[in-house]
Amino acid sequence: MSESKQVENVIIIGGGPAGYTAALYTARANLEPLVFEGFQWGGQLQNTTDVENFPGYPDGVLGPEMMSQFRAQAERFGTRFVTDDVDRVELSDGGVQRVFLGDEEYRAKTVILAMGAEPKRLGIPGEMELGGRGVSTCGVCDGAFFKGDRVVVIGGGDSAMEDAIFISKYARELILIHRRDEFRASQIMLDRAREQENIEFKTPYAPLEFVAGEEGKLEKVRLRHSETGAEEEIEADGAFVAIGHTPRSEIAAGQVETDENGYIVTEPGSTRTNLAGVFAAGDVVDHTYRQAVTAAGSGCMGALDAERYLRDSPPPVEAHWMPGGEPVELSPRG
Ligand code: NDP
């Protein structure tokens, strides 16, 4: 096993708005952050087109472009990036935090967990098997493949509306399927979807199966009426599952406290987790707001919390003897 030479001040795991904002703030505080931004850096905004609700962009901005700017701003102050996915972590309560990339071990006095969230799956037959053959979780990525086709979008939140509006620019016909008659989506997004002539709403129906045709591509979606239980099949060339997200907390699960849905638990009004020196920010914590701007705000809080922790706590005992660790005067934690 190879070892990095030094104990970092702060390692940030995550390359979305929370991670990059935490990097910007810690870099400006001269903490020389090391960011594990993931192989597909940029987080969920990498899969978005127009962002119209991030303050400071009166004309809107493309999601990937905004994330490039976040990254560049953090880099300007000395952030270092590792463009890969962390394999595992060994978190400690006030000791040295360990992050592993394959056999490579990285150590830090603090870690900010900002891994974000990922799309939820329906868990029905055909969903995984037909991934890339008609079934997708990313309208913005795959919508253009369905030009002139008949497409379904599943879900009743803003993600489903956003996907439906985007894909309807390509699809001939789009059917939005939702399991209830009421929608979780904001009124403005719902109205925009309803204004599209080629979008039809089909409620209350839940999908049961994605059925392949002879060529092994999606051909039909089997549905059940949520109230009567009656089943039916509708033809579709494409199906987009847009039913929300799951926090990407798996590498920290069992080490740091999480709630029943896997979101990392932080002290109210702070990014402190149950482990001293371990902070969490962004969508891996937040199941309420889940916006780029709130993720960025909590990334800022994570950076300030980590900075204060480093200022007020003696370095971990192990940092005393680790290569590159600062020689410290050992005193009990205050
Ligand atoms: P939401 O949790 O808001 O909505 C998920 C939808 O999927 C719900 O309608 C839910 O149904 C449905 N659903 C969940 N599980 C299943 C299932 N197993 N089978 C069938 N249907 C299911 O998630 P979103 O991703 O839509 O939005 C998350 C947050 O992000 C929100 O705060 C939203 O406002 C925001 N957002 C904002 C955007 C923007 O402003 N441009 C774009 C996208 C998201 P039910 O209602 O019955 O529970």
Side-chain angles (χ1 to χ4, degrees):
M1 179 173 291
S2 55
E3 293 178 353
S4 72
K5 299 263 181 306
Q6 59 178 331
V7 180
E8 307 283 348
N9 289 311
V10 55
I11 285 180
I12 296 162
I13 307 177
Y20 289 149
T21 305
L24 170 64
Y25 272 74
T26 49
R28 290 192 76 245
N30 290 333
L31 295 175
E32 301 175 324
L34 179 64
V35 177
F36 289 82
E37 60 182 348
F39 185 65
Q40 289 183 307
W41 62 270
Q44 292 178 68
L45 281 166
Q46 209 64 289
N47 299 328
T48 307
T49 49
D50 296 320
V51 178
E52 295 177 340
N53 52 10
F54 200 92
Y57 294 94
D59 301 321
V61 60
L62 294 173
E65 189 186 328
M66 186 165 89
M67 292 327 294
S68 294
Q69 292 173 348
F70 266 64
R71 190 180 190 276
Q73 195 174 355
E75 193 169 31
R76 181 179 152 206
F77 298 100
T79 300
R80 292 158 300 143
F81 299 98
V82 177
T83 310
D84 213 336
D85 297 313
V86 166
D87 291 305
R88 69 189 176 89
V89 294
E90 279 178 20
L91 302 177
S92 134
D93 190 11
V96 166
Q97 314 297 339
R98 294 179 158 80
V99 172
F100 296 87
L101 199 69
D103 279 347
E104 192 99 16
E105 179 182 341
Y106 297 80
R107 297 156 175 165
K109 295 172 206 163
T110 63
V111 63
I112 300 174
L113 304 170
M115 291 86 74
E118 66 186 347
K120 265 191 197 163
R121 313 270 173 183
L122 291 161
I124 61 172
E127 186 176 24
M128 303 311 284
E129 297 86 335
L130 294 175
R133 286 191 229 147
V135 178
S136 169
T137 53
C138 181
V140 172
C141 320
D142 300 332
F145 296 128
F146 296 92
K147 207 165 181 188
D149 285 345
R150 190 169 203 255
V151 170
V152 301
V153 171
I154 295 140
D158 280 337
S159 294
M161 298 309 139
E162 192 175 59
D163 274 6
I165 294 161
F166 180 78
I167 301 162
S168 70
K169 292 175 191 154
Y170 302 96
R172 178 181 85 248
E173 206 180 333
L174 192 146
I175 301 147
L176 191 129
I177 298 164
H178 179 40
R179 62 185 177 184
R180 296 188 295 140
D181 288 326
E182 299 77 33
F183 289 88
R184 222 175 263 274
S186 56
Q187 196 60 44
I188 186 168
M189 298 290 278
L190 194 54
D191 288 346
R192 279 188 198 170
R194 286 201 162 117
E195 279 164 18
Q196 302 297 315
E197 281 180 2
N198 58 343
I199 298 182
E200 177 197 329
F201 282 65
K202 194 167 175 68
T203 66
Y205 282 90
L208 292 178
E209 184 182 0
F210 295 114
V211 184
E214 279 177 14
E215 289 174 15
K217 290 187 190 159
L218 178 72
E219 191 176 86
K220 289 175 190 161
V221 184
R222 199 152 62 80
L223 304 173
R224 179 166 49 209
H225 193 283
S226 304
E227 285 151 18
T228 65
E231 292 186 17
E232 67 176 89
E233 282 187 343
I234 59 169
E235 290 192 6
D237 306 298
F240 289 83
V241 179
I243 59 167
H245 297 85
T246 308
R248 296 191 58 195
S249 57
E250 60 278 1
I251 55 165
Q255 300 187 53
V256 75
E257 190 188 343
T258 54
D259 70 11
E260 67 279 10
N261 296 315
Y263 287 91
I264 296 175
V265 175
T266 52
E267 279 176 34
S270 111
T271 61
R272 284 190 296 272
T273 67
N274 61 319
L275 301 176
V278 178
F279 305 89
D283 283 12
V284 78
V285 175
D286 174 19
H287 43 82
T288 310
Y289 303 105
R290 295 185 282 205
Q291 301 300 297
V293 67
T294 51
S298 93
C300 161
M301 289 165 64
L304 296 178
D305 287 342
E307 194 185 337
R308 283 173 195 154
Y309 171 85
L310 288 166
R311 184 192 64 198
D312 298 340
S313 315
V317 174
E318 291 166 88
H320 182 59
W321 49 264
M322 275 182 182
E326 290 167 23
V328 292
E329 202 173 282
L330 298 177
S331 58
R333 251 170 181 305

